[in-house]
Amino acid sequence: MLFTNLITHLIRAGYAERAVKKELVQEACITLDELKYFLQLAWEMKILTNQKYLTLSSALTEVGKMIGAWIKQQRKETPAERENKEICGQRGTDSTCSSRCQSS
């Protein structure tokens, strides 16, 4: 179930609008952490062999790196957001400008 939830979050995030994408990627990150926890638990309970655990764990670590990079990319400003800040910086306290800056 956690595998399918993770895949679902990632697919939905890929198609989502920017405002929703951040939340979906965060949900994927949380699901990945849950998956890693239960994987380790299964290994500690000897349900998984060492080799299976290492194989799955390294794959999940790579997925985690990809999700982390996606989160980092989401934190960066888009060119439109930069333009809004530059315009607002030039115009000072213009009411139209300040409302645009508050929304970003």
Side-chain angles (χ1 to χ4, degrees), residues 7-17 20-21 24 70:
I7 292 168
T8 300
H9 290 311
L10 293 172
I11 290 171
R12 290 180 65 209
Y15 290 101
E17 297 289 327
V20 178
K21 187 177 299 238
L24 290 170
W70 202 356

Side-chain angles (χ1 to χ4, degrees), residues 1-10 23-41 53 55-71:
M1 183 78 170
L2 287 174
F3 280 113
T4 56
N5 287 347
L6 177 62
I7 292 168
T8 300
H9 290 311
L10 293 172
E23 183 179 327
L24 290 170
V25 174
Q26 290 289 354
E27 286 293 322
C29 187
I30 292 167
T31 302
L32 178 65
D33 285 344
E34 293 170 343
L35 190 55
K36 286 175 168 180
Y37 172 78
F38 285 113
L39 180 69
Q40 183 175 354
L41 189 63
Y53 173 74
T55 301
L56 290 170
S57 181
S58 65
L60 292 179
T61 298
E62 287 301 311
V63 171
K65 289 177 184 178
M66 290 181 221
I67 292 173
W70 202 356
I71 290 170

